[in-house]
Amino acid sequence: MDRIAAPMLELMTNMATIQDIGVSAAINILSAITFLLAFAFLRLQPINDRVYFPKWYLKGARESPSHGGAFVRKFVNLDMRSYLKVLSWMPAALKMPEDELISHAGLDSAVYLRIYLIGLKIFAPITVLAFIILVPVNWTNITLQSSKVQHSDIDKLSISNIPVGSKRFAAHLTMAYVFTFWTCYVLLREYEIVATMRLRFLASEKRRPDQFTVLVRNIPPDPDESIGELVEHFFLVNHPDHYLTHQVVYNANKLDKMVKEKKKMQNWLDYYQLKYERNTFQRPTTKTGFLGCFGSKVDAIEYYTSEIERIEKEETDERGKIMKDPKSVVPAAFVSFRSRWGAAVCAQTQQTSNPTVWLTEWAPEPRDVYWDNLSIPFVYLTIRRLIIAVAFFFLNFFYVLPIAFVQSLANIEGIEKAAPFLKPLIEMRTIKSFIQGFLPGIALKIFLILLPSILMFMSKVEGLTSVSSLERRSAFKYYIFLFFNVFLGSIIAGSALEQLKTFLHQSANEIPRTIGEAIPMKATFFITYVMVDGWAGVAGEILRLKPLIIFHLKNFFLVKTEKDREEAMDPGSIGFDSNEPQIQLYFLLGLVYAVVTPFLLPFILIFFGLAYVVYRHQIINVYNQEYESAAAFWPSVHGRIIVALIVSQLLLLGLLSTKGAGQSTPVLLVLPVVTFYFYKYCKNRYEPAFVEYPLQDAMRKDTLERAREPGFDLKGYLMNAYIHPVFKGDEDDEKFSISDEPEAEQVLVATKRQSRRNTPVPSKYNGSESPSLAEICPGLSP
């Protein structure tokens, strides 16, 4: 033990004590309370109503309280009684039943909240058992007290306080089995509940275009026919009883950039016009260079008016080019069918003997389509994904270096080395506690702020065609990053870096033991991180400080009409790509440290409870989800919790092997095997409900719908669903609807191809193809 104590001494001198954790807890609790009280006050002010209740405005169920009454009441709430109920939002957030929540916010939002519920269900019993059984077992030893290793009272609560070869490890083995079986039971029940919710939601959901539509990609070129003609003839031949219509995909990325640029110019024009209206004695000016800070000075209103006119002319030319140039049509199309059953058969089967062409998949719902990536040639997707995989590996590998640097500065020794003149100040007890108990967590939090945006950009480069799939892919990358750089990097690599010199002077067989000892010692760092990110961070989410400031800036400088005010609200969405991996990190920490250092569990339990209430409030009142995937993300959530469970078992196995409990290895090896087969069972039993659409359910829903609405114009309903948003503009979809044409008799119609047989049914549109974009949207003709 003396040889172990020497390398551990340097590590332990920088470990946070109970007092340090207390200081961090006080800071974060005070921050969380401040955020919550500020929110409770600001949400009551009429001027902030659209910031804290935007979802109800978008639904048309709430009106601005500033429309009537005294002038002061338009901005400030003068009802003193309302301030006595500052916490009334909490029970209000919990009051809405789950079925009503699904109807109000969608299944994605309701199931997302169940991730927090799973955390509460798993860790509440585990915390109680750990404190009743494991904490007394750990605390009633004197191993650390009799050693030369500097330690704190927190370390006495961990497995580090158990002597090598002790029979007390039987308690930890037993609890590892109990925690594993309880976690698997909760996961099994939740998977069953969510799968049932998804099937019920799909069965009861109202008609949506994506239920009848398939995305077809990698359409092979034909020298005799256009993409539209080729798609129509292929599906009339191979799906003659079910094919209804289709919409080819246009490469409108350049036009989309022009529309966004024009909108930005219009915002600046609105700003300067409002500025001029407030002071008509002076015309506003701007500079034509970068950010309006460089270049020649010009009249701002005239400049932006001319820029908008220029962009409108280029936009008109680009629209005409897209409609006339065959090269603007990409080899992809949205194909719609007469029934859900027909769409399910097409989406879930191989269309030709060549598995690389005519690739079909369920179309995303229209608002979920990521249009920019539809123009990417299918053959490039594999290359793009390979490049991104390599780039992500290097990002993941090299990001640990700046993180380690930042963390080295976020401790006593690192700051004293970087700034020796601060040593007298740092050695003050309060300052020292602040640095050790709070600074490491906040430093890591700040350093990870830009990472989700980087990973989302990488996912977009991969070529995924829906926003939901982009968020799921980005969430996967973020989770991998957090696992290696934040979790393993802090436990293993961090310990090794801190003691590199010591490791070089000890025998190789002592290194695993030293790392094994360091694992529970890192619990204090994760406690500070949970408090910073999980307590203060979640409380800061409900305050919405950034949207609050941006809304009032837009409201003052840009808003002219109610529509402008609505656009300025920016309700945001759940942010699955960044939030879900963070939640998974807490699952990982809780499961790993449940047996090793149970003292961390209450901090994680508080996070799940607070986050559940906060995000339930946000989903009910704020977030406006961009899409509805019917909880398609749940298999990923389930799989990552399983990974966390297996990692916790393997780390416990490695840790016990350094504690002279090698005889426990066969007993612990059973757990990862059982957990893996449990995962395989859940995957085979429940995952198909999230991947495929049962033909039986599709036929049942089609039959009921035909009985209820026998004369429904399905073709008119689907015709305009998958037109690129830039072609719809700001007009209502009804502008582009076309009347349903009567079906012709079954006759043979010749195609333009010389090498293929005739189509056995007529073409619905002048014997050629589905209507062109100009026919659907006549206002777009140049």
Side-chain angles (χ1 to χ4, degrees):
M1 286 297 297
D2 290 340
R3 286 185 295 174
I4 299 175
M8 290 303 298
L9 182 59
E10 183 181 349
L11 172 64
M12 293 302 299
T13 54
N14 287 324
M15 296 304 296
T17 64
I18 285 283
Q19 181 177 346
D20 300 333
I21 296 298
V23 170
S24 178
I27 293 173
N28 286 287
I29 291 174
L30 184 61
S31 300
I33 292 175
T34 302
F35 291 151
L36 294 176
L37 290 177
F39 161 73
F41 174 80
L42 292 173
R43 67 186 284 269
L44 296 175
Q45 311 311 314
I47 195 174
N48 299 325
D49 205 56
R50 289 179 178 268
V51 178
Y52 295 110
F53 301 96
K55 191 176 187 71
W56 297 102
Y57 282 93
L58 294 175
K59 284 179 168 287
R62 193 179 182 99
E63 293 183 357
S64 176
S66 63
H67 283 326
F71 179 77
V72 177
R73 292 183 181 273
K74 296 180 179 181
F75 303 96
V76 181
N77 185 354
L78 300 179
D79 183 4
M80 294 297 106
R81 290 175 297 179
S82 62
Y83 292 99
L84 300 177
K85 303 177 181 179
V86 292
L87 297 180
S88 62
W89 63 270
M90 288 188 176
L94 299 173
K95 190 179 297 183
M96 181 179 286
E98 189 170 58
D99 289 341
E100 185 179 344
L101 180 65
I102 294 174
S103 176
H104 174 69
L107 185 64
D108 280 344
S109 299
V111 171
Y112 175 80
L113 288 173
R114 296 197 72 89
I115 304 176
Y116 297 107
L117 276 181
I118 285 184
L120 293 172
K121 290 178 180 179
I122 290 177
F123 290 114
I126 286 179
T127 302
V128 173
L129 281 176
F131 271 77
I132 290 176
I133 298 174
L134 294 181
V135 168
V137 169
N138 296 335
W139 179 262
T140 53
N141 279 280
I142 59 173
T143 303
L144 292 175
Q145 185 176 348
S146 60
S147 70
K148 297 180 181 179
V149 178
Q150 184 176 345
H151 60 276
S152 68
D153 290 338
I154 295 177
D155 303 319
K156 293 180 181 179
L157 302 175
S158 74
I159 201 172
S160 299
N161 204 30
I162 305 295
V164 174
S166 173
K167 293 183 179 179
R168 295 195 177 200
F169 287 122
H172 299 82
L173 291 175
T174 303
M175 287 298 98
Y177 268 83
V178 171
F179 296 166
T180 294
F181 289 140
W182 172 248
T183 302
C184 290
Y185 171 75
V186 173
L187 289 176
L188 179 67
R189 291 288 301 139
E190 285 298 319
Y191 216 149
E192 181 180 2
I193 291 171
V194 174
T196 302
M197 291 172 64
R198 173 180 167 88
L199 293 176
R200 190 190 312 128
F201 178 78
L202 293 176
S204 62
E205 191 182 24
K206 295 180 180 180
R207 184 187 294 107
R208 291 196 328 191
D210 54 295
Q211 297 170 351
F212 301 87
T213 306
V214 170
L215 174 60
V216 184
R217 305 191 72 184
N218 209 27
I219 300 171
D222 190 294
D224 301 315
E225 291 189 321
S226 67
I227 295 294
E229 293 170 333
L230 188 59
V231 168
E232 183 185 27
H233 290 141
F234 178 87
F235 283 95
L236 283 174
V237 168
N238 297 287
H239 298 267
D241 299 326
H242 302 284
Y243 168 74
L244 181 61
T245 185
H246 73 272
Q247 178 60 58
V248 295
V249 178
Y250 294 85
N251 184 355
N253 291 350
K254 184 177 179 181
L255 178 61
D256 187 42
K257 292 179 181 178
M258 291 180 180
V259 172
K260 292 177 180 177
E261 178 69 15
K262 186 177 71 172
K263 184 176 182 181
K264 185 174 73 171
M265 293 294 178
Q266 185 64 51
N267 285 338
W268 280 111
L269 178 60
D270 292 343
Y271 164 71
Y272 283 113
Q273 286 178 337
L274 285 173
K275 185 177 181 180
Y276 180 63
E277 289 174 4
R278 291 170 182 149
N279 182 12
T280 57
F281 298 102
Q282 182 178 2
R283 296 277 294 184
T285 60
T286 186
K287 293 185 178 181
T288 58
F290 181 69
L291 295 178
C293 299
F294 304 95
S296 57
K297 184 180 290 187
V298 295
D299 184 285
I301 296 177
E302 293 179 357
Y303 171 73
Y304 284 108
T305 301
S306 63
E307 284 294 298
I308 292 173
E309 292 175 353
R310 176 185 61 81
I311 296 174
E312 285 179 343
K313 184 179 183 303
E314 294 177 356
E315 183 183 331
T316 302
D317 295 340
E318 181 65 19
R319 289 177 187 269
K321 179 182 176 182
I322 291 173
M323 294 163 58
K324 292 179 179 179
D325 188 0
K327 294 181 180 179
S328 297
V329 181
V330 301
F334 291 99
V335 180
S336 298
F337 294 81
R338 300 177 184 276
S339 64
R340 296 173 181 82
W341 190 92
V345 169
C346 181
Q348 298 167 185
T349 56
Q350 183 174 311
Q351 301 304 305
T352 69
S353 57
N354 183 353
T356 64
V357 298
W358 294 102
L359 303 177
T360 58
E361 60 183 277
W362 280 108
E365 65 163 320
R367 59 181 177 161
D368 189 22
V369 177
Y370 188 69
W371 293 95
D372 290 355
N373 282 352
L374 286 176
S375 60
I376 299 174
F378 189 83
V379 69
Y380 293 166
L381 294 182
T382 302
I383 300 174
R384 282 170 168 255
R385 287 168 186 172
L386 177 61
I387 293 173
I388 291 300
V390 174
F392 177 68
F393 170 79
F394 283 105
L395 175 69
N396 200 51
F397 184 78
F398 287 110
Y399 215 82
V400 71
L401 299 178
I403 284 182
F405 173 73
V406 171
Q407 292 287 38
S408 70
L409 295 180
N411 60 57
I412 299 296
E413 183 182 355
I415 295 176
E416 288 180 351
K417 286 181 179 179
F421 59 89
L422 293 177
K423 186 173 181 179
L425 178 64
I426 292 173
E427 292 299 329
M428 294 175 62
R429 187 59 196 168
T430 305
I431 302 298
K432 189 174 183 179
S433 296
F434 170 80
I435 293 173
Q436 290 185 321
F438 180 75
L439 196 57
I442 193 66
L444 181 59
K445 175 69 175 176
I446 293 173
F447 209 76
L448 294 176
I449 287 178
L450 295 178
L451 189 63
S453 299
I454 297 173
L455 297 179
M456 176 58 75
F457 171 77
M458 296 175 75
S459 298
K460 290 178 179 179
V461 173
E462 287 185 281
L464 300 173
T465 57
S466 66
V467 177
S468 57
S469 61
L470 283 171
E471 291 198 347
R472 291 196 295 271
R473 182 66 63 88
S474 184
F476 170 74
K477 291 186 178 72
Y478 195 19
Y479 177 74
I480 294 295
F481 184 92
L482 291 176
F483 179 81
F484 283 103
N485 284 281
V486 176
F487 178 69
L488 289 183
S490 297
I491 288 181
I492 300 174
S495 302
L497 288 172
E498 290 173 9
Q499 304 184 75
L500 182 58
K501 292 182 181 179
T502 308
F503 284 172
L504 294 176
H505 295 89
Q506 68 180 162
S507 59
N509 62 340
E510 293 291 340
I511 294 177
R513 179 174 293 184
T514 303
I515 295 177
E517 289 282 349
I519 291 176
M521 304 301 180
K522 277 293 181 178
T524 53
F525 164 74
F526 288 119
I527 288 174
T528 65
Y529 180 76
V530 169
M531 287 190 290
V532 171
D533 182 69
W535 295 9
V538 169
E541 170 65 25
I542 201 171
L543 182 58
R544 305 197 76 221
L545 187 59
K546 179 182 175 182
L548 176 69
I549 295 172
I550 292 177
F551 171 78
H552 286 302
L553 288 176
K554 288 183 175 180
N555 194 39
F556 183 78
F557 291 111
L558 299 177
V559 169
K560 285 184 175 181
T561 64
E562 283 299 315
K563 184 176 181 181
D564 294 336
R565 188 169 287 107
E566 183 176 301
E567 291 179 352
M569 287 192 298
D570 185 25
S573 60
I574 291 172
F576 181 84
D577 58 314
S578 58
N579 286 334
E580 192 269 346
Q582 290 280 8
I583 304 171
Q584 293 293 345
L585 178 62
Y586 296 122
F587 277 107
L588 180 62
L589 294 176
L591 292 172
V592 166
Y593 281 99
V595 177
V596 176
T597 308
F599 187 73
L600 184 141
L601 291 174
F603 297 89
I604 290 180
L605 200 59
I606 291 173
F607 159 75
F608 279 113
L610 178 62
Y612 177 73
V613 176
V614 167
Y615 280 95
R616 208 173 200 274
H617 173 274
Q618 298 296 83
I619 284 171
I620 292 173
N621 298 297
V622 180
Y623 297 147
N624 185 40
Q625 190 65 3
E626 296 179 8
Y627 58 83
E628 177 59 62
S629 68
F633 56 80
W634 191 256
S636 300
V637 173
H638 175 87
R640 287 196 265 273
I641 299 177
I642 291 292
V643 168
L645 187 58
I646 293 176
V647 167
S648 70
Q649 296 158 355
L650 296 177
L651 287 180
L652 180 62
L653 180 65
L655 178 59
L656 291 182
S657 68
T658 68
K659 303 284 287 183
Q663 68 275 10
S664 65
T665 300
V667 180
L668 273 177
L669 276 176
V670 175
L671 286 180
V673 175
V674 171
T675 305
F676 176 75
Y677 277 97
F678 167 76
Y679 167 73
K680 295 293 291 183
Y681 167 77
C682 291
K683 182 180 178 68
N684 295 330
R685 173 64 180 85
Y686 298 112
E687 189 170 317
F690 295 84
V691 179
E692 311 288 353
Y693 187 32
L695 295 180
Q696 182 184 35
D697 293 353
M699 180 61 75
R700 182 186 298 117
K701 194 164 180 64
D702 288 333
T703 303
L704 288 173
E705 198 168 86
R706 281 194 292 266
R708 291 171 179 170
E709 301 176 80
F712 182 75
D713 180 13
L714 184 61
K715 184 165 63 176
Y717 172 73
L718 296 173
M719 188 67 67
N720 313 304
Y722 287 95
I723 298 175
H724 197 294
V726 298
F727 295 119
K728 292 185 177 182
D730 297 326
E731 304 295 332
D732 295 330
D733 289 347
E734 285 77 11
K735 170 183 175 180
F736 308 109
S737 63
I738 62 173
S739 60
D740 195 7
E741 300 177 16
E743 297 187 11
E745 299 178 0
Q746 300 289 322
V747 296
L748 294 179
V749 176
T751 72
K752 296 180 180 180
R753 291 167 290 174
Q754 303 302 317
S755 58
R756 304 189 185 185
R757 66 190 180 93
N758 290 341
T759 302
V761 292
S763 171
K764 305 296 187 302
Y765 303 97
N766 302 324
S768 58
E769 57 176 323
S770 286
S772 66
L773 191 61
E775 291 173 314
I776 296 177
C777 307
L780 299 178
S781 300

